[in-house]
Amino acid sequence: MAEVVLQNIMKRYGDLYAVNDVSFTVNDGEFVALVGPSGCGKTTTLNLIAGLLPITSGNISIGDRNVTRLDPKDRDIAMVFQNYALYPQKTVFQNLAFPLQMRKLPKDQIETKVKEAARVLDITHLLERRPRELSGGQQQRVALGRALVRDPLVFLMDEPLSNLDAKLRVQMRSEIKRFHHNLNATIVYVTHDQLEAVTMSDKMAVMNGGLLQQYDAPEKVFADPVNMFVASFVGSPAMSLIPLEAVTKGADTVLRSPEGWDFTLSPENARKAQRSTTVKVVLGARHSTLKLHHSAQPGTVPGKVYTVEPTGDITFAQVFISGAVVNISLDPSVHIRPDDLVHIEFDQSRIHLFDENTTMALKAD
Ligand code: ATP
């Protein structure tokens, strides 16, 4: 396996920067998810690593080689796509053997490698079947097997689970994770599903509009999003964002709502708010950090319940606070109904503050 280094890579189509000055390093053996909404440039980034598209500028290296100008076949990569791309008339064995026959490997070596890949992916019993005789999950395993037999430096995967039903997706998610763990493989994995990225990857590269927004471990991205886009993209339900105004009130800094209430910030949060380029500061909070009260308490802010969604273990509620929709998770024993007036308590150590003007997270120092 090998590391992959992207340096200032750029892909332009006329005026559109599909990938705009993206740099990051995938360490040897790491699983990196490229994630972001449709059109953010993740597939283009993957295809540039694979060499399937000519690059506008920048450099890509795999292991100790600069591969920027190399053909895909010379980059020592293997790709897995969402549509499996299996040969329908060949058996599973022949599908797995094909890339090795193309490389003119001796027959006995081909057989050994195919059997080993089939063992790792638990498809030995399927070797004589044809793709149409397999389930979606089995076909996806064969597609993984075909990448595996090539023993590449890097696996590149483009939404490999998106054709599977919800249950199978979750199962194959664990299998690909296990595949990564067993092989210590370097994997770059494209998905639009933030949950897939968070659960599977060592690091996630969050993209938007061709730009890399944040590159970090999922827990870091979740706990410390760099800007409002990342804050609202990662996590489900999304982080709630409430636009307010930072105002000095005596010795305190408060966030003031147009509805007339003030939320007094802790000294550390006050320092953050003071760093905003304008008075417009956005208060961010994840559903699990909020507490709901039926009457006003010191430090709470008023809201009105919009919807209540019981899911069994947890009840999700949406509450309007200062015109913004705020997601809250509640114990199912809490009884609230739409239009109830409630009071919400924020945990000052777990709120996020953003500069509404730049959209960037505000830091205390
Ligand atoms: P999706 O999740 O929908 O596949 P993506 O994040 O993978 O989206 P890309 O396929 O990388 O997005 O596309 C990035 C941007 O580049 C999009 O705005 C897309 O319309 C544009 N684009 C891609 N290929 C071309 C092309 N051949 N010519 C012009 N624009 C293109």
Side-chain angles (χ1 to χ4, degrees):
M1 288 290 140
E3 71 170 12
V4 180
V5 182
L6 310 188
Q7 283 176 306
N8 309 103
I9 65 163
M10 192 88 101
K11 178 67 186 175
R12 224 175 82 187
Y13 294 107
D15 289 342
L16 177 89
Y17 288 80
V19 177
N20 194 350
D21 200 22
V22 166
S23 302
F24 61 85
T25 296
V26 183
N27 293 321
D28 186 6
E30 231 167 27
F31 188 131
V32 165
L34 292 180
V35 65
S38 182
C40 71
K42 47 196 188 299
T43 295
T44 306
T45 303
L46 195 79
N47 288 342
L48 290 172
I49 301 173
L52 298 175
L53 287 172
I55 196 164
T56 305
S57 61
N59 273 296
I60 299 172
S61 61
I62 297 178
D64 48 15
R65 287 188 314 157
N66 184 333
V67 301
T68 316
R69 312 271 159 228
L70 296 185
D71 283 344
K73 66 175 174 34
D74 299 325
R75 294 192 182 200
D76 210 349
I77 48 139
M79 291 200 78
V80 182
F81 298 97
Q82 59 176 279
N83 60 4
Y84 321 133
L86 300 177
Y87 299 104
Q89 71 284 17
K90 292 187 197 290
T91 63
V92 169
F93 184 96
Q94 289 163 340
N95 265 285
L96 295 184
F98 188 68
L100 305 176
Q101 287 162 347
M102 296 302 286
R103 283 205 215 157
K104 308 213 173 344
L105 244 67
K107 223 173 155 190
D108 56 333
Q109 272 191 41
I110 293 180
E111 189 157 333
T112 309
K113 276 178 174 281
V114 168
K115 288 196 169 153
E116 175 55 15
R119 190 189 62 75
V120 170
L121 290 157
D122 195 20
I123 49 174
T124 306
H125 58 298
L126 306 174
L127 284 172
E128 293 316 312
R129 294 210 202 156
R130 284 173 216 282
R132 67 169 179 278
E133 297 162 335
L134 303 176
S135 70
Q138 290 169 334
Q139 289 187 40
Q140 191 49 269
R141 259 181 264 158
V142 177
L144 278 176
R146 205 173 45 180
L148 180 58
V149 292
R150 300 178 53 185
D151 199 11
L153 289 177
V154 182
F155 290 91
L156 303 178
M157 305 191 183
D158 192 353
E159 304 251 11
L161 307 185
S162 59
N163 281 353
L164 306 177
D165 66 41
K167 198 168 160 202
L168 202 51
R169 262 181 101 117
V170 174
Q171 190 186 328
M172 282 303 290
R173 205 157 82 189
S174 323
E175 290 198 19
I176 293 184
K177 250 186 119 162
R178 193 70 216 179
F179 173 89
H180 171 244
H181 177 81
N182 289 348
L183 300 174
N184 206 15
T186 307
I187 299 180
V188 184
Y189 183 104
V190 164
T191 177
H192 65 273
D193 180 346
Q194 62 87 27
L195 185 63
E196 221 168 88
V198 169
T199 52
M200 294 174 84
S201 69
D202 297 315
K203 285 199 190 123
M204 52 202 284
V206 186
M207 295 186 70
N208 191 30
L211 294 165
L212 181 63
Q213 306 287 314
Q214 189 161 5
Y215 184 60
D216 233 322
E219 53 276 19
K220 189 85 181 22
V221 175
F222 188 81
D224 224 351
V226 294
N227 59 27
M228 284 162 59
F229 170 79
V230 177
S232 53
F233 186 78
V234 178
S236 177
M239 183 189 288
S240 305
L241 298 170
I242 312 168
L244 298 165
E245 269 193 15
V247 177
T248 305
K249 189 174 167 186
D252 292 328
T253 300
V254 302
L255 293 182
R256 179 162 292 169
S257 157
E259 292 179 344
W261 51 258
D262 288 343
F263 173 60
T264 305
L265 293 172
S266 65
E268 191 184 350
N269 285 322
R271 280 203 302 284
K272 291 183 187 174
Q274 283 152 12
R275 294 185 161 255
S276 178
T277 56
T278 69
V279 294
K280 291 186 179 302
V281 169
V282 176
L283 169 62
R286 295 208 183 272
H287 62 93
S288 53
T289 67
L290 296 171
K291 274 199 193 139
L292 181 139
H293 299 272
H294 291 286
S295 57
Q297 311 283 324
T300 59
V301 307
K304 189 174 183 184
V305 178
Y306 183 59
T307 57
V308 182
E309 294 172 354
T311 67
D313 287 348
I314 301 176
T315 296
F316 290 103
Q318 292 190 315
V319 176
F320 268 116
I321 298 179
S322 192
V325 176
V326 172
N327 295 301
I328 305 185
S329 47
L330 301 166
D331 190 90
S333 63
V334 176
H335 286 291
I336 52 165
R337 293 195 324 195
D339 297 331
D340 279 359
L341 296 176
V342 292
H343 298 268
I344 304 301
E345 180 183 339
F346 291 87
D347 178 345
Q348 292 258 1
S349 65
R350 294 165 83 189
I351 60 169
H352 300 257
L353 297 178
F354 301 93
D355 180 331
E356 188 176 329
N357 181 32
T358 63
T359 80
M360 300 303 287
L362 292 163
K363 303 276 166 210
D365 39 40

